[in-house]
Amino acid sequence: MDNLIARVAKTANLSPEVARKAVALLADFIEREAPEEAAKDLFEKAPELHAIVASSAPTGGEGMSYGLKGLMGIAAGAMGGGGLMALGGELMGLGLSMDQIQAAWKEVFAYAREVAGDQTVGEIAASIPGLSQFT
């Protein structure tokens, strides 16, 4: 777990604390948005991703119930503002630049490829519009 955080911190030039929060957002996004089987495969082979998500303080939507947060995400997506764009906003809220966001994604995908393989990463990247630019 700390290895991935250190890799992202170094590659994206982030503090370990911010890198942990960024990885938690990215992993949570993958778990929510990727095809169920591909996400399951990745998280089974990289259980530390669940640990990173679980160990991070709540980010977007604090104080909202899970259902309300999910409905807001669906509404934002229907208006064209959800998905990857919303995630980018959350990452920028942590202080990341576009270059740092790209570096963090690329490092998370490199790690995912090491543990879960090209097929799983390819399926995840292909299923979410705009995500393949980071693989």
Side-chain angles (χ1 to χ4, degrees), residues 29-75:
F29 180 80
I30 290 169
E31 188 171 30
R32 287 182 292 111
E33 301 291 331
E36 186 177 341
E37 286 302 312
K40 181 181 175 187
D41 184 50
L42 173 60
F43 281 86
E44 283 178 355
K45 292 176 179 172
E48 56 276 6
L49 290 176
H50 272 299
I52 292 168
V53 172
S55 70
S56 290
T59 50
E62 290 92 339
M64 291 185 202
S65 71
Y66 178 76
L68 180 58
K69 188 175 176 185
L71 286 173
M72 289 186 68
I74 291 168

Side-chain angles (χ1 to χ4, degrees), residues 15 18 23 33-35 44 53 63 70 77 81 84 93 98 123 125:
S15 71
V18 172
V23 171
E33 301 291 331
E44 283 178 355
V53 172
L84 200 54
M98 289 303 294
E123 187 177 338

Side-chain angles (χ1 to χ4, degrees), residues 71-91:
L71 286 173
M72 289 186 68
I74 291 168
M79 294 184 290
L84 200 54
M85 294 295 290
L87 176 63
E90 288 186 82
L91 291 166

